[in-house]
């Protein structure tokens, strides 16, 4: 019932509007026009077009005269008028900078060495190596053995800074080798990790020696008694397993709690690391010995 009554009311309203449009003579003057397809970006077509009759224009003028609030001013626009847009200062500066060619002066070897301080006009360079608390006693005991090669052969200046608890090494005007400071720092750092002075001093003499460090948990997560048994497998009875790995791979190994340090050349460090990782993962020592025996035989053949 509701929908039927609603339709009748809508139809009656439409019929009344048509009658009023016929009586008034269609003052609006709008006629529907079929829209045209327009290319994308060109704008949409107007769905309706208005007739510009005299009657409609007169009606608009009368409405504008009666309304005092709205006011329009006519503006004359010339078609041939050119508008110039001034560029900002930043844009002008950017264009000027882009046109200039950037040139760098050539660096000579002598100037490079002078900048690094290897002349009479010397600029000091320093390295500082921290001393752990458990290495104070060994450092006091072997201080002269550490000091002698650094001062006599490498021509460096060394001192112990008790306030900072570190060993300070710096270059001097007599230093000739550019890499002397880095080698000395590696030598002292290796001693702080637990290596003997006789083993660490090889870092000063050879260029292809490195120190690699890793922890047991990096290979396998172990805790409690499992970690203790793993460290025992790496060392062996009276250090037998550790010495066997060192002699067969020609490296030096330090087991400091759960941390392992290996000193040697790149290839030898890889052999020793593989053997230690096998022990951490649970391989029996006998199997590791057989593998090390094959490695040592292969290395002796190459020599």
């Amino acid at each position: 019932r509701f929908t039927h009554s609603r339709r009748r009311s809508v139809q009656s309203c439409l019929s009344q509007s048509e009658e009023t449009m016929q009586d008034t003579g269609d003052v609006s003057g709008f006629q529907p026009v079929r829209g045209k397809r327009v290319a994308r970006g060109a704008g949409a077509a107007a769905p309706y077009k208005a007739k510009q009759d005299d009657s409609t224009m007169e009606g608009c003028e009368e409405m504008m005269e009666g309304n005092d609030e709205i006011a329009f001013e006519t503006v004359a626009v010339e078609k041939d008028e050119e508008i110039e847009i001034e560029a900002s200062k930043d844009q002008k500066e950017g264009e000027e900078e882009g046109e200039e060619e950037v040139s760098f002066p050539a660096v000579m070897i002598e100037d490079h060495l002078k900048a690094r301080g290897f002349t009479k006009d010397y600029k000091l360079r320093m390295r500082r190596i921290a001393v752990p608390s458990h290495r104070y006693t060994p450092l006091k005991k072997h201080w002269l053995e550490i000091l002698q090669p650094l001062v006599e052969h490498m021509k460096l200046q060394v001192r112990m800074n008790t306030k900072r608890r570190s060993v300070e090494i710096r270059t001097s005007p007599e230093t000739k080798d550019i890499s002397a400071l880095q080698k000395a720092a590696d030598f002292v750092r290796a001693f702080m990790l637990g290596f003997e002075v006789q083993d660490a001093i090889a870092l000063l003499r050879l260029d292809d020696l490195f120190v690699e460090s890793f922890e047991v948990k990096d290979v396998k997560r172990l805790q409690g008694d499992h970690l203790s048994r793993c460290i025992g497998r790496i060392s062996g009875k009276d250090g037998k397993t550790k010495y066997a790995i060192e002699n067969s791979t020609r490296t030096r190994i330090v087991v400091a709690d759960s941390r392992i340090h290996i000193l040697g050349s790149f290839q030898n460090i890889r052999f020793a690391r593989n053997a230690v990782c096998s022990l951490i993962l649970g391989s029996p020592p006998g199997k590791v010995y057989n593998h090390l025996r094959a490695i040592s035989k292969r290395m002796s053949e190459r020599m």
Side-chain angles (χ1 to χ4, degrees):
R1 293 178 183 177
F2 177 75
T3 54
H4 184 66
S5 60
R6 190 173 180 181
R7 287 177 183 174
R8 291 184 64 184
S9 61
V10 172
Q11 290 176 359
S12 61
C13 291
L14 290 172
S15 61
Q16 289 178 4
S17 61
E18 289 176 358
E19 291 176 359
T20 52
M21 289 289 289
Q22 291 176 1
D23 296 338
T24 54
D26 195 10
V27 177
S28 60
F30 286 96
Q31 293 181 357
V33 179
R34 182 176 295 177
K36 298 180 180 179
R37 290 189 178 180
V38 183
R40 184 178 294 178
Y48 295 99
K49 186 177 180 181
K51 292 181 179 180
Q52 295 182 356
D53 297 337
D54 297 336
S55 60
T56 56
M57 294 298 293
E58 290 175 359
C60 293
E61 290 177 358
E62 291 176 358
M63 290 173 63
M64 293 300 296
E65 289 177 357
N67 193 354
D68 298 333
E69 296 179 358
I70 302 172
F72 294 94
E73 295 181 359
T74 57
V75 179
V77 180
E78 296 181 1
K79 294 182 180 179
D80 298 334
E81 184 179 0
E82 295 180 358
I83 301 171
E84 295 181 359
I85 302 173
E86 295 182 357
S88 60
K89 294 181 179 180
D90 297 336
Q91 292 178 354
K92 290 182 178 179
E93 292 176 358
E95 292 176 357
E96 292 176 358
E97 291 177 357
E99 293 176 357
E100 295 179 357
E101 293 182 358
V102 181
S103 59
F104 296 96
V107 179
M108 303 299 292
I109 297 176
E110 296 178 355
D111 298 338
H112 180 65
L113 293 175
K114 183 182 287 187
R116 294 177 66 87
F118 290 94
T119 55
K120 293 182 179 180
D121 302 334
Y122 192 72
K123 181 180 179 182
L124 297 177
R125 292 180 172 275
M126 186 180 67
R127 297 291 175 88
R128 186 179 291 114
I129 298 94
V131 181
S133 58
H134 66 280
R135 297 298 292 175
Y136 268 105
T137 303
L139 182 63
K140 291 178 183 178
K141 185 178 179 181
H142 301 283
W143 178 252
L144 291 177
E145 298 178 17
I146 295 171
L147 201 67
Q148 184 178 359
L150 297 180
V151 175
E152 294 182 1
H153 299 284
M154 310 298 287
K155 306 298 181 181
L156 298 171
Q157 297 176 354
V158 187
R159 73 173 183 179
M160 176 64 189
N161 192 335
T162 56
K163 291 183 179 180
R164 291 180 176 268
R165 294 185 177 182
S166 60
V167 177
E168 295 179 352
I169 307 170
R170 71 176 186 181
T171 54
S172 65
E174 288 79 16
T175 306
K176 297 180 180 179
D177 189 5
I178 297 176
S179 61
L181 185 62
Q182 181 62 42
K183 287 182 178 180
D186 294 339
F187 163 62
V188 177
R189 193 175 290 109
F191 177 79
M192 298 305 170
L193 292 176
F195 293 99
E196 296 291 336
V197 179
Q198 293 79 8
D199 298 331
I201 204 170
L203 292 167
L204 300 177
R205 299 174 179 174
L206 303 175
D207 295 332
D208 59 342
L209 293 184
F210 309 94
V211 177
E212 183 175 342
S213 303
F214 64 95
E215 294 187 12
V216 174
K217 66 179 182 181
D218 296 337
V219 182
K220 187 178 182 180
R221 290 190 175 276
L222 299 172
Q223 294 178 354
D225 295 338
H226 299 285
L227 181 61
S228 301
R229 285 193 293 270
C230 175
I231 295 171
R233 282 199 304 273
I234 295 171
S235 300
K237 186 179 179 180
D238 299 329
K240 178 182 176 182
T241 307
K242 184 172 77 74
Y243 293 145
I245 297 173
E246 289 179 348
N247 294 330
S248 59
T249 59
R250 298 177 184 178
T251 57
R252 290 294 177 265
I253 299 173
V254 172
V255 180
D257 195 12
S258 63
R259 199 166 181 82
I260 299 164
H261 311 285
I262 304 175
L263 169 65
S265 62
F266 180 79
Q267 187 176 5
N268 296 344
I269 286 175
R270 185 165 60 88
F271 292 145
R273 186 179 64 242
N274 292 339
V276 173
C277 291
S278 299
L279 292 170
I280 292 172
L281 293 173
S283 297
K287 186 176 181 180
V288 176
Y289 290 156
N290 293 332
H291 187 62
L292 291 174
R293 195 177 293 110
I295 290 173
S296 60
K297 184 178 180 181
R298 197 185 310 156
M299 290 177 66
S300 61
E301 289 176 356
R302 288 181 181 177
M303 294 295 293

